[in-house]
Amino acid sequence: MRFVHRLLPGSVTRLLPGLLVAVAVAVPVAGCGGPDRLGADEYRRQAAPPVEDAADAIVKLGLAISRAPAPELAATRLELLRERLENASESLAGLAPPEEIADTHRDLVRALSELAGETERFDEELKVELDEYEQLTTFPQELAGTLSARQITDALRKLESEGYDLLG
């Protein structure tokens, strides 16, 4: 930086680090019009594991929550479900899907995140009912009946109809 300082006036050298960062960020974005989109096969390869993990969590942990003999155990399983849904949403959010499915991909990411948030409602119910705990026997049906769960199903069906079956 000393070399640059000798060549440029003081006011410019104070701005230079910020300018360099701005250029470093802008050039790759301007050069390609946005993030590099994945090809169909690579998208399937990268998107399938988080989708499969979320589906597995919904089925297995949903059932385990409904059968939990104690509220503490139900709460622990509910937290695991929330974490897995959030992880799936975050993993998918980091992908740049092919253009033809970008909107559906975005809907799927949003719905997974919202479903993770929906689990907090059940968590609140557990806290309210600690003294008179009853198993959440209808949990899988209630979770499946949420708007976000239906949106996940819709997005996965739409992706499948476009040739992107993520649940193999």
Side-chain angles (χ1 to χ4, degrees):
M1 205 54 134
R2 285 187 179 139
F3 177 73
V4 172
H5 183 41
R6 280 188 255 142
L7 293 176
L8 300 171
S11 60
V12 174
T13 56
R14 283 191 298 276
L15 296 174
L16 191 59
L19 290 171
L20 290 174
V21 169
V23 169
V25 169
V27 168
V29 172
C32 68
D36 291 334
R37 298 228 172 253
L38 296 172
D41 291 337
E42 187 61 18
Y43 175 77
R44 281 187 211 92
R45 190 183 72 68
Q46 291 187 34
V51 169
E52 289 170 352
D53 187 58
D56 181 67
I58 290 168
V59 171
K60 290 181 181 169
L61 286 170
L63 189 57
I65 290 165
S66 72
R67 294 179 177 169
E72 297 82 11
L73 189 53
T76 299
R77 292 172 179 171
L78 196 56
E79 181 60 30
L80 286 172
L81 175 59
R82 184 173 23 258
E83 287 174 11
R84 287 177 66 183
L85 291 170
E86 288 171 349
N87 289 342
S89 177
E90 290 169 7
S91 293
L92 291 171
L95 301 180
E99 185 65 39
E100 69 267 14
I101 60 164
D103 290 341
T104 306
H105 173 84
R106 195 171 22 258
D107 292 344
L108 177 60
V109 169
R110 182 181 32 77
L112 281 165
S113 179
E114 288 174 2
L115 188 61
E118 294 268 358
T119 63
E120 291 179 19
R121 176 174 56 95
F122 295 101
D123 205 21
E124 290 303 315
E125 286 178 23
L126 281 174
K127 290 175 184 167
V128 169
E129 299 174 8
L130 280 178
D131 294 335
E132 299 173 17
Y133 175 71
E134 291 183 28
Q135 288 181 309
L136 298 173
T137 55
T138 60
F139 178 78
Q141 294 83 2
E142 288 183 54
L143 192 65
T146 63
L147 176 61
S148 49
R150 291 191 308 271
Q151 290 170 334
I152 291 168
T153 301
D154 292 346
L156 289 173
R157 284 183 181 148
K158 194 170 184 179
L159 286 169
E160 184 177 10
S161 73
E162 294 286 330
Y164 295 87
D165 182 6
L166 301 180
L167 291 173

